[in-house]
Amino acid sequence: MSKTRLLGKTPAQLKEIAASCGLPSYTGGQIAQWMYQKKVRSLDQMTNLSKAARERLSQDYEVGVTEPTEVFTSADGTRKYLFPITFEGRPPFTVEAVMIPDEDRRTLCVSSQAGCKMGCKFCMTGRQGFHGNLSAADILSQFIAIEESDDLSNAVFMGMGEPLDNYEEVMAAINVLTADWGFAWSPKRITLSSIGVLPRLKDYLEGCKCHLAISLHNPFADERLEMMPVQKAYPLEKVIDLLRQYDFSGQRRVSFEYTMFRGFNDDKRHADALVRLLRGVHCRVNLIRFHKIPDFPYGTSPDPVMEMFRDRLGAAGVTCTIRASRGEDIFAACGLLAGKHNTA
C-alpha cells in the first residue's frame, strides 16, 4: 500500500496527522519546519522527532519529494528538469520544470498539470492532450528537488498545464510558498499564467496576491479562436472586462503574453486592436518569439516586425517588451515543454 505524502500539507493538517499517530500536536509544526524551511527529503532527517515518532509516522506517511530523473543544460545556462509522475492505472508520465538564470535572478518555470486540456495549436504541451493534475506535493517537489532550490528568486506558473484548471492544488502549493510557516516568499515573487479560465480567474484575483499573466496572442476573437479553442468557452473580452474591475497599479501586476506568428498576428492592425482592447487596464505586454513546431503553418515574426509592434504599442502608452528566448536548444522555451519522449 502506498504511503500518504506529507508535502503540501499545512501545519494544522500535520497536527491532525500527528495526533492520529498518538504524537503531540506540536509535532505537526516541527514537520512543517523540516519540510519547508530545511527542505529535508525523509522523516529520518527530522532529528528533533524521537526515533519512535519517526518510526510511527513512517508506517503510513512519507515526505513525498519527487526527485528528477534527468537534467538538461542549455548553452545559455537554462536547465530543464524531468520529473516522473504516476497516475493510478496509467503509464508513468514526465513533466518538466525549467530553471532560468539571469544575472542575480533564478526563476523557476513550474508545471501544474501533465499535459493540458486547452489544446492551443501552437503549444507542444497542448498537442499531447491531458493526462492528469499534479498534486501540491508534485508542484512543490519542483522547488525542492532541483539543484538551485536555495537560490531561487522567482517562480512562474508557465510550465506544462493550465494552472487555473488545477486550482485547488496550485493554490495549496502557493499557500506553502507564501506562508510564514512555509517558504515565506513574498507573493510578488510569483506569477501565475492563464488563458483566462472563468470563474476560477475571479477566485484567483480575490484570493491571491500573486501576479497574473494572461495568454492573449490575438486581439481579434475569430483569429484567436483559430489558435486557442478556449476562446469559445472563455471569450477574451469577458476576461478583460473582469480584469478592469481590479487595481493593478500597486503591488500586484497583470501582464499579457503575446506570441508573434509571422503574417498572422504581427501587423499594425493587430497592434492597434490590442491597444484598444487593453485600454483602461494598467498592464504590460510581453512579446514572445514563436518557436517552430512540426505541422504548424506559421513561422516566427522577424525581429524588425517585433520591434515595430513593440514601438507601436509603446507610442500608444502600452508598456511592451520583447522577451528574450531561453533554452530553445534543450526544448525548454515557451511552448516546447512536452516531456522527453516528445523532444528526442
Side-chain angles (χ1 to χ4, degrees):
M1 185 177 70
S2 60
K3 297 180 180 181
T4 299
R5 299 163 83 180
L6 298 174
L7 189 64
K9 298 189 182 301
T10 66
Q13 292 171 320
L14 293 169
K15 287 177 181 179
E16 290 182 4
I17 289 172
S20 72
C21 294
L23 304 174
S25 62
Y26 63 77
T27 304
Q30 293 175 311
I31 294 172
Q33 184 179 47
W34 281 108
M35 290 195 300
Y36 303 137
Q37 296 175 21
K38 300 181 180 179
K39 300 178 183 177
V40 301
R41 306 290 213 275
S42 73
L43 290 167
D44 285 340
Q45 294 175 281
M46 301 181 184
T47 52
N48 62 347
L49 275 64
S50 69
K51 183 178 180 181
R54 284 177 273 155
E55 289 177 348
R56 175 64 188 90
L57 284 165
S58 65
Q59 291 176 18
D60 300 305
Y61 299 97
E62 62 182 352
V63 172
V65 173
T66 300
E67 301 289 347
T69 53
E70 291 188 77
V71 184
F72 299 91
T73 303
S74 167
D76 64 21
T78 298
R79 306 189 83 190
K80 181 170 73 171
Y81 290 84
L82 273 57
F83 291 88
I85 303 295
T86 302
F87 299 104
E88 188 173 350
R90 305 183 200 174
F93 195 84
T94 299
V95 299
E96 304 172 357
V98 178
M99 191 288 301
I100 306 164
D102 185 14
E103 296 182 353
D104 60 343
R105 293 165 62 94
R106 298 289 183 273
T107 299
L108 184 65
C109 182
V110 187
S111 290
S112 57
Q113 295 180 311
C116 185
K117 297 177 185 176
M118 301 303 134
C120 298
K121 295 181 180 178
F122 52 88
C123 177
M124 289 296 289
T125 306
R127 284 188 170 197
Q128 67 186 243
F130 176 70
H131 300 273
N133 286 323
L134 301 193
S135 67
D138 294 326
I139 295 168
L140 291 169
S141 288
Q142 297 170 59
F143 288 84
I144 294 173
I146 66 171
E147 185 177 325
E148 300 82 6
S149 178
D150 292 333
D151 300 321
L152 293 175
S153 60
N154 299 84
V156 291
F157 281 77
M158 296 182 183
M160 301 172 75
E162 162 57 57
L164 295 186
D165 191 44
N166 186 20
Y167 186 77
E168 286 79 9
E169 296 299 318
V170 167
M171 292 307 298
I174 289 177
N175 185 36
V176 172
L177 292 170
T178 57
D180 290 340
W181 47 261
F183 283 48
W185 279 26
S186 164
K188 294 185 292 184
R189 297 170 63 178
I190 301 170
T191 300
L192 180 144
S193 177
S194 173
I195 49 78
V197 176
L198 302 169
R200 283 307 198 184
L201 180 57
K202 182 176 178 62
D203 294 337
Y204 176 77
L205 291 169
E206 294 288 342
C208 186
K209 296 180 180 179
C210 297
H211 300 309
L212 173 68
I214 295 292
S215 296
L216 197 156
H217 309 304
N218 203 304
F220 297 110
D222 56 340
E223 294 181 11
R224 188 172 189 255
L225 182 59
E226 286 185 43
M227 295 286 194
M228 303 174 68
V230 74
Q231 169 68 19
K232 186 173 182 179
Y234 306 117
L236 181 60
E237 296 80 1
K238 291 188 177 181
V239 173
I240 302 298
D241 286 345
L242 175 63
L243 295 177
R244 285 199 177 95
Q245 300 174 29
Y246 296 85
D247 179 15
F248 294 102
S249 61
Q251 295 281 318
R252 182 170 58 180
R253 299 190 307 267
V254 64
S255 59
F256 293 90
E257 311 298 298
Y258 196 96
T259 301
M260 301 284 284
F261 304 107
R262 183 173 192 153
F264 182 73
N265 69 344
D266 61 354
D267 60 19
K268 295 177 181 179
R269 179 176 68 96
H270 290 88
D272 294 344
L274 189 56
V275 170
R276 292 192 298 271
L277 178 69
L278 300 181
R279 188 165 288 132
V281 180
H282 192 278
C283 64
R284 170 188 298 271
V285 174
N286 294 316
L287 303 182
I288 301 171
R289 290 179 174 82
F290 173 61
H291 303 100
K292 186 66 178 174
I293 61 176
D295 303 317
F296 186 78
Y298 298 102
T300 306
S301 297
D303 284 353
V305 172
M306 295 187 71
E307 291 163 3
M308 174 280 297
F309 202 98
R310 176 199 62 196
D311 294 345
R312 197 169 183 88
L313 264 63
V318 178
T319 302
C320 183
T321 58
I322 298 174
R323 180 183 292 169
S325 180
R326 304 293 300 273
E328 186 174 3
D329 56 329
I330 58 169
F331 297 91
C334 290
L336 297 184
L337 300 186
K340 182 189 173 186
H341 58 284
N342 285 333
T343 61

